[in-house]
Amino acid sequence: MPPVTPELEDLFSFLRFASISTDSAHAGEVRSCAEWLLKKLNGMGLEASLHETARHPIVVAKNQHVEGRRTVLIYGHYDVQPVDPLNLWNTSPFEPVIRDGRIWARGATDNKGQMMAHVLGVEKTLREKGELPVNLTFLFEGEEEIGSPNLAPFLIQNSELLKCDVVAVSDTGMVAPGVPTLGYGLRGIACCEVILRGPKGDLHSGLFGGAVANPATGIARLVASLHDVAGRVTVEGFYDQVRALEPWEREMWAKVPGVSDQDFLTVTGSPTLFGESGYSSAERTWARPTAEVNGIGSGYQGEGSKTVLPAEAFVKLSFRLVPDQDPKDILEKVRQHLELNCPPGLTLEFMPGHDGKPYAADPNSDLGKAAQRALKVAFNAEPVLIREGGSIPIVQAFRDLLGADTLLLGLALSDAQIHAPNENFPVENFEAGIRLNQALLEELAK
Ligand code: BES
Ligand code: ZN
């Protein structure tokens, strides 16, 4: 293991907290992580505060705000996704190590590594210059991975505290190592769960099969009804609000390295690509909406066979959305589609889940240009401009509730294994992130 710098020591301390937000057994670790962060920020000379919510705390920190300077809000999340399946990790998820130039741990990229780069960039500037060139507000939450249920209400209640001219977030992708990437869009999301019920209990499939409907067959038919054979979503009105891709975007994206159809094949290991015809993989994931099955279940799952006719079946669905689709409107259309297509002999229960709006901004606005210059300084290369397939639901809420656009300065590589075993973050991206923060505040001050 190469010598560990003070910056890496800080990141390692941060990564050692098992701050898994979805699992109530880890609530104490989430809180300890927030308290560690609070202490770190106060120790740097910022004024930091911890704010309780119905679940996990929010941490806010500011420098001295001065009239006439631009106010920059930097958002990040200190919570992480669960680690299972644990047996597929090469090293323990909450004992960070450096191997092959990368930091290996849950949260290394998403989002602790990217977030800490901003914190340490600010610390470095304060140490070198005694002051920052802008009014800075850090906003860190512990609930991003569960859909940020308490953050929008916090924005509404604290709009004065969080008032800003622009938001910066490093929680998105970088198309290839060394290629600085400015994101100017995110897909939205709408989640739901469906249960199909048939007989009052599990039945012998010989005694009753053929006489009553099977919920497992029903859920398969229902799921199959969501797409046509070419992969287009068949929910009535699903595409009504979809904004068409701009010709300049298609032209620009065709030249972006690391996101060709061949790259998608290599990264995913899929036998072939599949999706809406007439679009590249980058276009399909960045600018087109989808319907995905995230989980499905019914009947016997154990070894061998069991002749059962199960009483019920479930499916967990999520829809990725693009401007100008509205999550609530889409969920209503989906509910109607599912009820209309519920197979005979079964009853359907529809449960809406969390959602977030899609986001898109102009990458060549004055602020976008400043971000591009900062990326160029930090990486010594020309930045590429992309939209993202993933979602950060609070980003559109920043625009709606604080009136500020967000600059997405992503450092996550496509093989970072975020949400999966063996999550990792290159040490060079961590160091570039620190430089990026310094350059960004410099450029945004202009
Ligand atoms: N950091 C990711 C989102 C991301 C990753 C965007 C890479 C673009 C590129 C974020 O933490 C995340 O996973 N978000 C969830 C949101 C959901 C739980 C509401 C997602 O996209 O599934
Ligand atoms: Zn994530």
Side-chain angles (χ1 to χ4, degrees), residues 77 110 144-145 171-173 189 320 354 388 390-391 393 418-419:
H77 64 93
D110 185 10
E144 195 273 347
E145 300 292 4
D171 192 24
T172 52
I189 190 167
R320 293 285 170 171
H354 65 73
E388 290 283 359
S391 307
I418 62 174
H419 297 203

Side-chain angles (χ1 to χ4, degrees), residues 41 195 280:
L41 295 164
I195 302 178
S280 69

